[in-house]
Amino acid sequence: MPRTGSRTTAAVRISAATALALGTLSLTGCASGTGTRDEGAATLVAQTTNKHSTVPQPSSNRRTARTAVPCTGANTEVTVTEVPRPVHHLLITATNTGTRPCDAYNAPYLRFDDAQAPADTGPDSVPQAVVTLEPGESAYAGVALSEPDGDGEGGRTAHRLGVLFADRAMDGGVGPEAAVELPSGGVHMDGSVRTTYWQRSPQDALIR
C-alpha cells in the first residue's frame, strides 16, 4: 500500500509539471508573437516570395524589349579610311549614334561620284548573322577599289562617296544617304570595285 500511494503521488506531480510547462509555452508564444502564428507568417512570406520572384531572362529576351531599327545615315556616323593592306582598299566604319540598337543589313550601297549603279558586293563575305549595333558600337565593310595590280578596265579617280544602308528586306536602300569624305586627292578605282557585307570587325572586312 505505501508503494501504491508513492506511485500515485509521482504521477500527479508529473501531470502537474507537464500542464505547467504547456501553459507557460502557450503564454510565451502569445506574448512574443512567435509560435504557431510565426510559422504561418513565415509560410505566407515564402509563398509570396516564390509567387513574385523574378527569374533572369536570356539576353535575347531582354534585347527583344528594345527592338532594333535599321541602321541609316540618320542614326550612324560613317567614315572611310584608306588602308595600307590589302592594297587598293578602303575601310568603311559605321558607328551607331542613336539611342536604340540598329541592324546593318546586307552590304552598303556605294555610289562613287555620280555613278548610276552601286558597287558590286563580294558574295564570299556573307556574315553568319545580321550585324546588330548597340549605341556606340561599329560595323565595318571593306572596299576593293581595283584589281591588285591596279590595271583593271575603266580606271579613274573618284572624289566623292555616298553610302546608303540596305532595308530589312535587303532589296533596296533605307534612310538618307551618308556623304563620306574620301582621302584628299580622291582614290583610284576601276570597273572591278566591290564591297563586303557589313562585318563585326575590321579584320573580317579586309579579308580579300
Side-chain angles (χ1 to χ4, degrees):
M1 292 294 292
R3 289 185 179 179
T4 302
S6 176
R7 290 177 181 174
T8 301
T9 302
V12 170
R13 288 177 180 173
I14 292 173
S15 298
T18 302
L20 179 60
L22 291 174
T24 302
L25 179 60
S26 177
L27 291 174
T28 302
C30 293
S32 64
T34 59
T36 304
R37 276 184 280 181
D38 273 358
E39 291 176 1
T43 302
L44 178 61
V45 170
Q47 290 175 345
T48 303
T49 302
N50 291 337
K51 182 178 179 180
H52 299 286
S53 61
T54 301
V55 179
Q57 299 297 318
S59 58
S60 59
N61 287 349
R62 288 199 297 269
R63 171 166 281 185
T64 301
R66 301 175 63 229
T67 304
V69 297
C71 294
T72 71
N75 59 15
T76 62
E77 179 182 7
V78 182
T79 59
V80 63
T81 305
E82 192 169 15
V83 297
R85 292 287 185 276
V87 295
H88 310 304
H89 270 66
L90 297 176
L91 176 67
I92 298 176
T93 303
T95 303
N96 183 354
T97 57
T99 58
R100 297 174 61 181
C102 75
D103 289 326
Y105 294 105
N106 202 17
Y109 297 122
L110 305 183
R111 184 168 62 86
F112 288 91
D113 292 335
D114 297 321
Q116 297 300 311
D120 290 337
T121 302
D124 56 347
S125 64
V126 179
Q128 293 182 349
V130 173
V131 177
T132 299
L133 303 179
E134 292 290 338
E137 291 183 341
S138 299
Y140 306 89
V143 182
L145 294 169
S146 63
E147 294 295 337
D149 57 11
D151 294 330
E153 296 181 0
R156 63 187 179 89
T157 299
H159 297 277
R160 298 186 308 278
L161 174 62
V163 177
L164 186 65
F165 288 84
D167 59 17
R168 188 182 300 272
M170 294 183 282
D171 59 3
V174 61
E177 180 181 277
V180 182
E181 291 188 10
L182 290 174
S184 178
V187 295
H188 176 78
M189 57 178 292
D190 61 31
S192 68
V193 61
R194 62 190 180 279
T195 180
T196 68
Y197 284 71
W198 289 111
Q199 306 290 335
R200 281 276 177 197
S201 71
Q203 291 78 13
D204 289 339
L206 292 174
I207 295 177
R208 188 174 176 82

